Amino acid sequence: MKRFSLICLCLALVLLLMPGCSSSGLKRYSAEFVELFDTFTQIIGYANSKAEFTAHAEEIYNQLKAFHQLYDIYNNYNDINNLKTINDNAGIMPVKVDAKIIDLLLYAKEIYTLTNEKCNIAMGSVLSIWHDYRTDGINDPENAKLPPTSELIDASAHTDIDKIIIDTENSTVYLDDPFMRIDVGAVAKGYATEIVALAMTEKGVDHMLLSVGGNIRAIGGKPPEADQDESPPWKVGIRDPFDDNKGNIVSLKINNKSVVTSGDYERYYIVDGEKQHHIIDPNTLMPAPFFTSVTIVCPHSGLADSLSTAIFCMDYEEGRALIESLEDVEAMWLMHDQTMVYTDGFEDMILP
Ligand code: ADP
Ligand code: MG
């Protein structure tokens, strides 16, 4: 109930401020939510009325909330078996789960193969060690430490994705290793955003921009002007991590596509003056050292999310070869010396 009044308040606040008119007669609205996927969600959309937009925004909130609870590895919810339930039952028994969990896990297994095994949701045992050292290091910076290598190596013996046993007929998941843990941090936000975007498209929404913690998915473009046939693209800025004022390093023209960035500046702690971030190279079990950030643009937001993490864990040659092998996927690598390297299709999207 508290959450519902909060969203109504947010919507009311923003809706009062935002309406603008396009020549098609549709009005522009926006709404913002907190907490979903532990981040900030923003929706910009064009609709005939405030009531129509509010109904869509509430629907998006409810759907994302359901995904958030199912994909949560830290919290239990009443009457729900979620990823935490699966992790808690590792090596003990199969857990009956909602199809939304089965679908995500099947998708993540495909992604593992597609990404040369760089994006691995079965790496939770290793990632949780980093998570704990990072949390301690942020709370007590003077005593911040790196996880001991032996601890990481021991944990890495429990990251075999084939030991996530999925029974689609009975809708159960079993972790066939008592020390294995699932962590879907690299994929879940984008995957959920994609499913919600497709659901809204089904409902007839065709001009909307979703940002779930910076995981961006455009449904169509903006409404066409009176004398135009085509939808003008959205303008999507990519934050410049070298700019203290949080300006954009580039802005992109985006129509019906997703944009996702993984970077070393999003979540990190400092050990002996060195930044230790949250994207872990499965080969070294250490934070991937190659880039400041990687941005992916492609139609499917789950693919954009998982590729941004995976490409961040590959050297430039390997990543470029993978991106070039995929249809309708563009990328930008932001190097530590601030240079940007991008695919031709990415360059075509950059606004002057
Ligand atoms: P963010 O969650 O900040 O948007 P990412 O999409 O790149 O960033 O995901 C990072 C999260 O994914 C980490 O916090 C961790 O939970 C998980 N993760 C880190 N490294 C890997 C990896 N190599 N494979 C799979 N998951 C990873
Ligand atoms: Mg990702």
Side-chain angles (χ1 to χ4, degrees):
M1 207 54 212
K2 196 172 131 231
R3 185 79 56 79
F4 187 71
S5 35
L6 179 66
I7 121 172
C8 287
L9 185 70
C10 285
L11 285 175
L13 249 175
V14 178
L15 288 168
L16 281 176
L17 294 172
M18 286 307 290
C21 236
S22 78
S23 61
S24 59
L26 295 170
K27 293 193 195 74
R28 183 183 194 274
Y29 298 96
S30 81
E32 287 164 6
F33 313 132
V34 287
E35 281 185 46
L36 298 172
F37 289 97
D38 305 317
T39 182
F40 186 76
T41 296
Q42 188 182 36
I43 306 170
I44 296 171
Y46 288 82
N48 290 303
S49 66
K50 177 175 159 179
E52 182 186 304
F53 178 78
T54 306
H56 290 152
E58 283 182 4
E59 175 74 27
I60 291 168
Y61 177 85
N62 290 333
Q63 288 200 20
L64 284 174
K65 183 178 165 187
F67 279 110
H68 166 70
Q69 295 189 346
L70 289 169
Y71 298 166
D72 196 332
I73 60 170
Y74 298 110
N75 302 290
N76 294 115
Y77 300 92
N78 284 344
D79 306 325
I80 295 179
N81 285 340
N82 63 7
L83 288 181
K84 180 172 187 304
T85 324
I86 295 173
N87 281 343
D88 290 346
N89 283 286
I92 301 172
M93 62 178 180
V95 177
K96 188 140 189 108
V97 289
D98 189 288
K100 290 187 181 76
I101 290 188
I102 304 277
D103 293 347
L104 172 70
L105 298 181
L106 290 171
Y107 184 73
K109 283 193 176 218
E110 281 177 35
I111 288 294
Y112 175 71
T113 311
L114 180 96
T115 61
N116 308 342
E117 308 181 355
K118 288 292 196 290
C119 182
N120 181 8
I121 60 155
M123 227 167 59
S125 53
V126 171
L127 296 171
S128 73
I129 296 173
W130 277 105
H131 181 270
D132 293 348
Y133 275 80
R134 186 169 65 246
T135 308
D136 291 348
I138 290 169
N139 291 336
D140 182 8
E142 301 237 314
N143 293 307
K145 286 195 231 12
L146 287 177
T149 308
S150 59
E151 209 179 312
L152 293 170
I153 291 174
D154 287 351
S156 72
H158 306 285
T159 59
D160 178 358
I161 199 167
D162 291 332
K163 292 196 172 166
I164 303 180
I165 313 291
I166 300 171
D167 179 341
T168 44
E169 227 153 77
N170 295 306
S171 202
T172 63
V173 180
Y174 175 58
L175 303 188
D176 190 14
D177 175 340
F179 300 107
M180 169 177 279
R181 298 291 179 267
I182 292 175
D183 180 326
V184 292
V187 198
K189 236 188 307 159
Y191 181 82
T193 304
E194 182 62 27
I195 303 295
V196 171
L198 292 178
M200 297 319 290
T201 306
E202 284 265 298
K203 283 183 187 278
V205 171
D206 42 19
H207 307 293
M208 188 176 268
L209 191 67
L210 297 173
S211 168
V212 182
N215 204 304
I216 289 166
R217 169 65 155 83
I219 301 174
K222 295 184 192 172
E225 297 296 325
D227 54 346
Q228 287 178 327
D229 290 335
E230 279 182 31
S231 270
W234 304 94
K235 178 181 171 187
V236 173
I238 312 290
R239 178 152 99 73
D240 181 353
F242 300 108
D243 176 8
D244 293 338
N245 297 321
K246 302 200 169 177
N248 292 329
I249 198 153
V250 286
S251 292
L252 303 176
K253 297 175 278 182
I254 295 297
N255 198 319
N256 218 28
K257 282 194 165 57
S258 176
V259 184
V260 181
T261 299
S262 285
D264 69 4
Y265 50 89
E266 290 167 346
R267 256 180 291 157
Y268 61 87
Y269 71 119
I270 308 278
V271 183
D272 298 331
E274 285 213 32
K275 201 193 273 181
Q276 305 294 338
H277 63 77
H278 71 311
I279 303 175
I280 305 302
D281 180 340
N283 294 110
T284 61
L285 309 177
M286 297 297 287
F290 307 106
F291 316 106
T292 297
S293 70
V294 169
T295 300
I296 304 290
V297 181
C298 67
H300 192 294
S301 199
L303 181 63
D305 193 4
S306 39
L307 275 178
S308 74
T309 310
I311 298 292
F312 191 88
C313 289
M314 293 177 195
D315 65 32
Y316 172 71
E317 282 70 28
E318 184 184 1
R320 180 96 195 197
L322 175 57
I323 294 293
E324 301 285 355
S325 76
L326 300 171
E327 189 87 6
D328 207 359
V329 177
E330 306 299 339
M332 176 181 90
W333 293 258
L334 177 58
M335 308 299 184
H336 294 306
D337 68 1
Q338 308 197 20
T339 53
M340 291 180 281
V341 181
Y342 24 69
T343 55
D344 294 346
F346 192 98
E347 191 167 7
D348 293 342
M349 290 182 279
I350 295 178
L351 283 160

Short mmCIF file of all heavy atoms in Angstrom, two decimals, residues 120-173:
data_model
loop_
_atom_site.label_atom_id
_atom_site.label_comp_id
_atom_site.label_asym_id
_atom_site.label_seq_id
_atom_site.Cartn_x
_atom_site.Cartn_y
_atom_site.Cartn_z
N ASN A 120 28.66 -15.26 -17.15
CA ASN A 120 28.30 -16.53 -16.51
C ASN A 120 27.48 -16.29 -15.25
O ASN A 120 28.02 -15.87 -14.22
CB ASN A 120 29.58 -17.32 -16.18
CG ASN A 120 29.26 -18.65 -15.54
OD1 ASN A 120 28.11 -19.07 -15.47
ND2 ASN A 120 30.29 -19.34 -15.07
N ILE A 121 26.18 -16.58 -15.33
CA ILE A 121 25.31 -16.35 -14.15
C ILE A 121 25.55 -17.38 -13.04
O ILE A 121 25.03 -17.23 -11.95
CB ILE A 121 23.80 -16.38 -14.53
CG1 ILE A 121 23.42 -17.75 -15.12
CG2 ILE A 121 23.44 -15.24 -15.46
CD1 ILE A 121 21.95 -18.07 -14.94
N ALA A 122 26.36 -18.41 -13.33
CA ALA A 122 26.66 -19.42 -12.31
C ALA A 122 27.88 -19.02 -11.47
O ALA A 122 28.41 -19.81 -10.69
CB ALA A 122 26.90 -20.78 -12.96
N MET A 123 28.32 -17.77 -11.64
CA MET A 123 29.53 -17.32 -10.95
C MET A 123 29.23 -16.67 -9.59
O MET A 123 30.09 -15.98 -9.01
CB MET A 123 30.24 -16.29 -11.85
CG MET A 123 31.72 -16.56 -11.97
SD MET A 123 32.48 -15.62 -13.28
CE MET A 123 32.17 -13.95 -12.83
N GLY A 124 28.03 -16.89 -9.08
CA GLY A 124 27.62 -16.23 -7.84
C GLY A 124 28.56 -16.45 -6.66
O GLY A 124 28.75 -15.55 -5.85
N SER A 125 29.16 -17.64 -6.57
CA SER A 125 30.05 -17.92 -5.44
C SER A 125 31.24 -16.95 -5.45
O SER A 125 31.64 -16.42 -4.40
CB SER A 125 30.55 -19.37 -5.50
OG SER A 125 31.12 -19.64 -6.77
N VAL A 126 31.78 -16.69 -6.64
CA VAL A 126 32.91 -15.75 -6.78
C VAL A 126 32.41 -14.31 -6.59
O VAL A 126 33.03 -13.52 -5.85
CB VAL A 126 33.57 -15.90 -8.17
CG1 VAL A 126 34.59 -14.79 -8.41
CG2 VAL A 126 34.20 -17.28 -8.32
N LEU A 127 31.30 -13.99 -7.22
CA LEU A 127 30.79 -12.61 -7.16
C LEU A 127 30.39 -12.22 -5.74
O LEU A 127 30.53 -11.05 -5.35
CB LEU A 127 29.60 -12.45 -8.13
CG LEU A 127 29.96 -12.63 -9.61
CD1 LEU A 127 28.71 -12.67 -10.47
CD2 LEU A 127 30.91 -11.52 -10.08
N SER A 128 29.90 -13.18 -4.96
CA SER A 128 29.47 -12.83 -3.60
C SER A 128 30.68 -12.50 -2.72
O SER A 128 30.58 -11.67 -1.82
CB SER A 128 28.61 -13.92 -2.99
OG SER A 128 29.41 -15.03 -2.64
N ILE A 129 31.83 -13.11 -3.00
CA ILE A 129 33.05 -12.75 -2.24
C ILE A 129 33.41 -11.29 -2.55
O ILE A 129 33.64 -10.49 -1.64
CB ILE A 129 34.22 -13.69 -2.63
CG1 ILE A 129 33.90 -15.12 -2.21
CG2 ILE A 129 35.53 -13.20 -1.98
CD1 ILE A 129 34.91 -16.15 -2.70
N TRP A 130 33.42 -10.96 -3.84
CA TRP A 130 33.71 -9.57 -4.22
C TRP A 130 32.68 -8.62 -3.62
O TRP A 130 33.00 -7.53 -3.15
CB TRP A 130 33.73 -9.42 -5.75
CG TRP A 130 35.05 -9.82 -6.33
CD1 TRP A 130 35.34 -10.96 -7.02
CD2 TRP A 130 36.28 -9.07 -6.29
NE1 TRP A 130 36.66 -10.97 -7.40
CE2 TRP A 130 37.26 -9.83 -6.96
CE3 TRP A 130 36.65 -7.84 -5.72
CZ2 TRP A 130 38.58 -9.38 -7.10
CZ3 TRP A 130 37.95 -7.40 -5.86
CH2 TRP A 130 38.91 -8.17 -6.54
N HIS A 131 31.41 -9.04 -3.64
CA HIS A 131 30.34 -8.20 -3.09
C HIS A 131 30.61 -7.89 -1.61
O HIS A 131 30.51 -6.73 -1.17
CB HIS A 131 29.00 -8.92 -3.26
CG HIS A 131 27.82 -8.16 -2.76
ND1 HIS A 131 27.36 -8.27 -1.45
CD2 HIS A 131 27.01 -7.24 -3.35
CE1 HIS A 131 26.33 -7.47 -1.29
NE2 HIS A 131 26.09 -6.83 -2.42
N ASP A 132 31.01 -8.93 -0.85
CA ASP A 132 31.24 -8.73 0.59
C ASP A 132 32.47 -7.85 0.86
O ASP A 132 32.43 -6.96 1.69
CB ASP A 132 31.41 -10.09 1.29
CG ASP A 132 30.11 -10.89 1.26
OD1 ASP A 132 29.06 -10.30 0.92
OD2 ASP A 132 30.15 -12.11 1.56
N TYR A 133 33.55 -8.10 0.13
CA TYR A 133 34.76 -7.27 0.32
C TYR A 133 34.50 -5.82 -0.10
O TYR A 133 35.01 -4.89 0.51
CB TYR A 133 35.96 -7.86 -0.44
CG TYR A 133 36.67 -8.94 0.35
CD1 TYR A 133 36.17 -10.23 0.41
CD2 TYR A 133 37.83 -8.65 1.08
CE1 TYR A 133 36.80 -11.22 1.17
CE2 TYR A 133 38.47 -9.64 1.84
CZ TYR A 133 37.95 -10.92 1.87
OH TYR A 133 38.57 -11.88 2.63
N ARG A 134 33.67 -5.67 -1.16
CA ARG A 134 33.35 -4.30 -1.61
C ARG A 134 32.52 -3.58 -0.55
O ARG A 134 32.80 -2.43 -0.19
CB ARG A 134 32.60 -4.35 -2.96
CG ARG A 134 32.35 -2.98 -3.56
CD ARG A 134 31.85 -3.08 -5.00
NE ARG A 134 30.54 -3.70 -5.11
CZ ARG A 134 30.31 -4.86 -5.69
NH1 ARG A 134 31.29 -5.54 -6.26
NH2 ARG A 134 29.10 -5.38 -5.75
N THR A 135 31.50 -4.27 -0.04
CA THR A 135 30.64 -3.66 0.98
C THR A 135 31.46 -3.26 2.21
O THR A 135 31.35 -2.14 2.70
CB THR A 135 29.52 -4.66 1.39
OG1 THR A 135 28.88 -5.10 0.20
CG2 THR A 135 28.49 -4.00 2.28
N ASP A 136 32.32 -4.19 2.66
CA ASP A 136 33.16 -3.88 3.82
C ASP A 136 34.10 -2.71 3.51
O ASP A 136 34.31 -1.83 4.34
CB ASP A 136 34.01 -5.10 4.22
CG ASP A 136 33.14 -6.22 4.80
OD1 ASP A 136 31.95 -5.95 5.09
OD2 ASP A 136 33.64 -7.35 4.94
N GLY A 137 34.66 -2.72 2.30
CA GLY A 137 35.62 -1.69 1.91
C GLY A 137 34.98 -0.32 1.79
O GLY A 137 35.62 0.71 2.05
N ILE A 138 33.71 -0.28 1.39
CA ILE A 138 33.01 1.00 1.29
C ILE A 138 32.66 1.50 2.70
O ILE A 138 32.79 2.68 3.00
CB ILE A 138 31.74 0.85 0.41
CG1 ILE A 138 32.15 0.64 -1.06
CG2 ILE A 138 30.83 2.08 0.53
CD1 ILE A 138 31.03 0.22 -1.98
N ASN A 139 32.27 0.57 3.57
CA ASN A 139 31.90 0.96 4.94
C ASN A 139 33.12 1.35 5.78
O ASN A 139 33.01 2.16 6.70
CB ASN A 139 31.16 -0.18 5.64
CG ASN A 139 29.78 -0.39 5.02
OD1 ASN A 139 29.23 0.53 4.43
ND2 ASN A 139 29.25 -1.60 5.14
N ASP A 140 34.27 0.75 5.47
CA ASP A 140 35.47 0.98 6.29
C ASP A 140 36.68 1.13 5.35
O ASP A 140 37.53 0.23 5.26
CB ASP A 140 35.64 -0.23 7.23
CG ASP A 140 36.83 -0.05 8.16
OD1 ASP A 140 37.42 1.05 8.19
OD2 ASP A 140 37.18 -1.05 8.84
N PRO A 141 36.75 2.27 4.62
CA PRO A 141 37.75 2.43 3.55
C PRO A 141 39.20 2.22 4.01
O PRO A 141 40.01 1.71 3.24
CB PRO A 141 37.55 3.88 3.09
CG PRO A 141 36.19 4.25 3.55
CD PRO A 141 35.91 3.46 4.78
N GLU A 142 39.50 2.57 5.27
CA GLU A 142 40.89 2.44 5.76
C GLU A 142 41.37 0.99 5.73
O GLU A 142 42.55 0.72 5.54
CB GLU A 142 40.95 2.93 7.21
CG GLU A 142 40.52 4.38 7.34
CD GLU A 142 41.60 5.23 7.97
OE1 GLU A 142 42.16 4.78 8.98
OE2 GLU A 142 41.87 6.32 7.42
N ASN A 143 40.42 0.07 5.97
CA ASN A 143 40.79 -1.34 6.05
C ASN A 143 40.35 -2.13 4.82
O ASN A 143 40.24 -3.36 4.88
CB ASN A 143 40.18 -1.97 7.31
CG ASN A 143 40.81 -1.40 8.56
OD1 ASN A 143 42.03 -1.40 8.70
ND2 ASN A 143 39.99 -0.87 9.45
N ALA A 144 40.08 -1.42 3.72
CA ALA A 144 39.62 -2.11 2.50
C ALA A 144 40.69 -3.10 2.02
O ALA A 144 41.87 -2.78 1.99
CB ALA A 144 39.33 -1.08 1.41
N LYS A 145 40.23 -4.31 1.66
CA LYS A 145 41.18 -5.36 1.23
C LYS A 145 40.69 -6.02 -0.04
O LYS A 145 39.48 -6.04 -0.32
CB LYS A 145 41.24 -6.45 2.31
CG LYS A 145 41.99 -6.08 3.56
CD LYS A 145 42.28 -7.36 4.33
CE LYS A 145 41.89 -7.40 5.78
NZ LYS A 145 41.09 -6.48 6.44
N LEU A 146 41.62 -6.63 -0.76
CA LEU A 146 41.25 -7.50 -1.87
C LEU A 146 40.90 -8.87 -1.31
O LEU A 146 41.50 -9.30 -0.31
CB LEU A 146 42.44 -7.68 -2.82
CG LEU A 146 42.82 -6.51 -3.71
CD1 LEU A 146 44.07 -6.88 -4.52
CD2 LEU A 146 41.67 -6.14 -4.65
N PRO A 147 39.96 -9.60 -1.94
CA PRO A 147 39.71 -10.97 -1.49
C PRO A 147 40.98 -11.81 -1.70
O PRO A 147 41.67 -11.63 -2.70
CB PRO A 147 38.61 -11.46 -2.44
CG PRO A 147 38.03 -10.25 -3.08
CD PRO A 147 39.10 -9.20 -3.08
N PRO A 148 41.30 -12.71 -0.77
CA PRO A 148 42.46 -13.58 -0.97
C PRO A 148 42.28 -14.46 -2.21
O PRO A 148 41.18 -14.97 -2.44
CB PRO A 148 42.47 -14.46 0.29
CG PRO A 148 41.58 -13.79 1.27
CD PRO A 148 40.61 -12.97 0.50
N THR A 149 43.36 -14.61 -2.99
CA THR A 149 43.28 -15.38 -4.24
C THR A 149 42.79 -16.81 -3.97
O THR A 149 41.99 -17.35 -4.74
CB THR A 149 44.68 -15.43 -4.89
OG1 THR A 149 45.14 -14.09 -4.99
CG2 THR A 149 44.64 -16.04 -6.26
N SER A 150 43.26 -17.40 -2.87
CA SER A 150 42.86 -18.80 -2.60
C SER A 150 41.35 -18.91 -2.41
O SER A 150 40.72 -19.88 -2.86
CB SER A 150 43.59 -19.31 -1.36
OG SER A 150 43.26 -18.48 -0.26
N GLU A 151 40.76 -17.90 -1.77
CA GLU A 151 39.30 -17.92 -1.56
C GLU A 151 38.57 -17.86 -2.90
O GLU A 151 37.59 -18.58 -3.13
CB GLU A 151 38.93 -16.72 -0.68
CG GLU A 151 37.70 -16.96 0.19
CD GLU A 151 37.37 -15.74 1.05
OE1 GLU A 151 38.29 -15.19 1.71
OE2 GLU A 151 36.22 -15.33 1.05
N LEU A 152 39.08 -17.00 -3.80
CA LEU A 152 38.45 -16.86 -5.12
C LEU A 152 38.59 -18.15 -5.93
O LEU A 152 37.65 -18.60 -6.58
CB LEU A 152 39.09 -15.68 -5.89
CG LEU A 152 38.81 -14.29 -5.31
CD1 LEU A 152 39.68 -13.24 -6.00
CD2 LEU A 152 37.33 -13.93 -5.45
N ILE A 153 39.78 -18.75 -5.86
CA ILE A 153 40.01 -19.98 -6.63
C ILE A 153 39.13 -21.12 -6.10
O ILE A 153 38.51 -21.85 -6.87
CB ILE A 153 41.51 -20.36 -6.61
CG1 ILE A 153 42.29 -19.34 -7.45
CG2 ILE A 153 41.73 -21.77 -7.16
CD1 ILE A 153 43.79 -19.50 -7.42
N ASP A 154 39.03 -21.23 -4.79
CA ASP A 154 38.14 -22.26 -4.22
C ASP A 154 36.70 -22.06 -4.71
O ASP A 154 36.03 -23.00 -5.12
CB ASP A 154 38.15 -22.20 -2.68
CG ASP A 154 39.47 -22.73 -2.11
OD1 ASP A 154 40.26 -23.30 -2.91
OD2 ASP A 154 39.71 -22.56 -0.90
N ALA A 155 36.24 -20.81 -4.68
CA ALA A 155 34.86 -20.53 -5.10
C ALA A 155 34.66 -20.82 -6.58
O ALA A 155 33.58 -21.27 -7.00
CB ALA A 155 34.52 -19.07 -4.81
N SER A 156 35.71 -20.59 -7.39
CA SER A 156 35.55 -20.76 -8.84
C SER A 156 35.38 -22.23 -9.24
O SER A 156 35.01 -22.54 -10.37
CB SER A 156 36.74 -20.15 -9.59
OG SER A 156 37.88 -20.97 -9.42
N ALA A 157 35.60 -23.14 -8.31
CA ALA A 157 35.33 -24.56 -8.59
C ALA A 157 33.83 -24.85 -8.60
O ALA A 157 33.41 -25.96 -8.92
CB ALA A 157 36.02 -25.44 -7.54
N HIS A 158 33.03 -23.82 -8.26
CA HIS A 158 31.58 -24.04 -8.16
C HIS A 158 30.81 -23.10 -9.09
O HIS A 158 29.85 -22.47 -8.69
CB HIS A 158 31.14 -23.85 -6.70
CG HIS A 158 31.92 -24.70 -5.76
ND1 HIS A 158 31.72 -26.06 -5.64
CD2 HIS A 158 32.98 -24.39 -4.96
CE1 HIS A 158 32.59 -26.56 -4.77
NE2 HIS A 158 33.37 -25.58 -4.35
N THR A 159 31.28 -23.00 -10.35
CA THR A 159 30.68 -22.05 -11.29
C THR A 159 30.30 -22.72 -12.62
O THR A 159 30.25 -22.06 -13.65
CB THR A 159 31.65 -20.88 -11.57
OG1 THR A 159 32.87 -21.43 -12.10
CG2 THR A 159 31.98 -20.10 -10.31
N ASP A 160 30.05 -24.02 -12.56
CA ASP A 160 29.73 -24.76 -13.78
C ASP A 160 28.25 -24.57 -14.14
O ASP A 160 27.37 -25.14 -13.48
CB ASP A 160 30.05 -26.25 -13.55
CG ASP A 160 29.71 -27.10 -14.77
OD1 ASP A 160 29.20 -26.55 -15.77
OD2 ASP A 160 29.95 -28.32 -14.70
N ILE A 161 27.99 -23.80 -15.19
CA ILE A 161 26.59 -23.45 -15.53
C ILE A 161 25.76 -24.68 -15.89
O ILE A 161 24.54 -24.66 -15.76
CB ILE A 161 26.58 -22.36 -16.65
CG1 ILE A 161 25.23 -21.65 -16.70
CG2 ILE A 161 26.96 -22.97 -17.99
CD1 ILE A 161 25.22 -20.38 -17.54
N ASP A 162 26.43 -25.76 -16.32
CA ASP A 162 25.68 -26.98 -16.64
C ASP A 162 25.07 -27.62 -15.39
O ASP A 162 24.23 -28.51 -15.49
CB ASP A 162 26.58 -28.00 -17.34
CG ASP A 162 26.97 -27.52 -18.74
OD1 ASP A 162 26.16 -26.77 -19.34
OD2 ASP A 162 28.06 -27.87 -19.21
N LYS A 163 25.50 -27.15 -14.23
CA LYS A 163 24.93 -27.70 -12.99
C LYS A 163 23.69 -26.93 -12.54
O LYS A 163 23.16 -27.18 -11.46
CB LYS A 163 25.99 -27.76 -11.89
CG LYS A 163 27.04 -28.80 -12.24
CD LYS A 163 27.89 -29.18 -11.07
CE LYS A 163 28.76 -30.38 -11.48
NZ LYS A 163 29.84 -30.61 -10.53
N ILE A 164 23.26 -25.97 -13.38
CA ILE A 164 21.92 -25.39 -13.17
C ILE A 164 20.98 -26.30 -13.95
O ILE A 164 20.95 -26.28 -15.18
CB ILE A 164 21.82 -23.95 -13.70
CG1 ILE A 164 22.88 -23.06 -13.04
CG2 ILE A 164 20.42 -23.39 -13.47
CD1 ILE A 164 22.85 -21.60 -13.53
N ILE A 165 20.25 -27.14 -13.23
CA ILE A 165 19.41 -28.14 -13.88
C ILE A 165 17.98 -27.60 -13.99
O ILE A 165 17.32 -27.37 -12.97
CB ILE A 165 19.39 -29.47 -13.08
CG1 ILE A 165 20.82 -29.88 -12.67
CG2 ILE A 165 18.65 -30.55 -13.85
CD1 ILE A 165 21.72 -30.31 -13.78
N ILE A 166 17.56 -27.38 -15.24
CA ILE A 166 16.23 -26.79 -15.47
C ILE A 166 15.28 -27.87 -16.01
O ILE A 166 15.58 -28.50 -17.01
CB ILE A 166 16.33 -25.64 -16.50
CG1 ILE A 166 17.29 -24.56 -15.96
CG2 ILE A 166 14.96 -25.05 -16.78
CD1 ILE A 166 17.63 -23.48 -16.97
N ASP A 167 14.18 -28.06 -15.29
CA ASP A 167 13.16 -29.01 -15.73
C ASP A 167 11.96 -28.18 -16.21
O ASP A 167 11.17 -27.70 -15.40
CB ASP A 167 12.79 -29.92 -14.55
CG ASP A 167 11.70 -30.93 -14.93
OD1 ASP A 167 11.00 -30.71 -15.94
OD2 ASP A 167 11.56 -31.92 -14.19
N THR A 168 11.88 -27.99 -17.53
CA THR A 168 10.84 -27.09 -18.05
C THR A 168 9.44 -27.70 -17.88
O THR A 168 8.47 -26.98 -17.66
CB THR A 168 11.06 -26.77 -19.54
OG1 THR A 168 11.39 -27.98 -20.21
CG2 THR A 168 12.18 -25.78 -19.74
N GLU A 169 9.36 -29.05 -17.95
CA GLU A 169 8.05 -29.69 -17.83
C GLU A 169 7.44 -29.46 -16.44
O GLU A 169 6.28 -29.11 -16.31
CB GLU A 169 8.20 -31.18 -18.07
CG GLU A 169 7.15 -31.71 -19.02
CD GLU A 169 7.66 -32.93 -19.73
OE1 GLU A 169 7.67 -33.99 -19.09
OE2 GLU A 169 8.09 -32.81 -20.90
N ASN A 170 8.27 -29.63 -15.42
CA ASN A 170 7.77 -29.45 -14.05
C ASN A 170 8.02 -28.05 -13.51
O ASN A 170 7.68 -27.75 -12.37
CB ASN A 170 8.43 -30.48 -13.12
CG ASN A 170 8.02 -31.90 -13.49
OD1 ASN A 170 6.82 -32.19 -13.57
ND2 ASN A 170 8.98 -32.75 -13.77
N SER A 171 8.64 -27.22 -14.34
CA SER A 171 8.96 -25.84 -13.94
C SER A 171 9.78 -25.79 -12.63
O SER A 171 9.45 -25.05 -11.70
CB SER A 171 7.67 -25.02 -13.81
OG SER A 171 7.96 -23.66 -13.93
N THR A 172 10.85 -26.59 -12.59
CA THR A 172 11.72 -26.56 -11.41
C THR A 172 13.16 -26.25 -11.81
O THR A 172 13.57 -26.45 -12.96
CB THR A 172 11.74 -27.92 -10.67
OG1 THR A 172 12.29 -28.92 -11.54
CG2 THR A 172 10.36 -28.33 -10.18
N VAL A 173 13.92 -25.76 -10.82
CA VAL A 173 15.35 -25.50 -11.01
C VAL A 173 16.10 -26.11 -9.83
O VAL A 173 15.70 -25.94 -8.67
CB VAL A 173 15.64 -23.98 -11.07
CG1 VAL A 173 17.14 -23.74 -11.27
CG2 VAL A 173 14.85 -23.32 -12.19
#
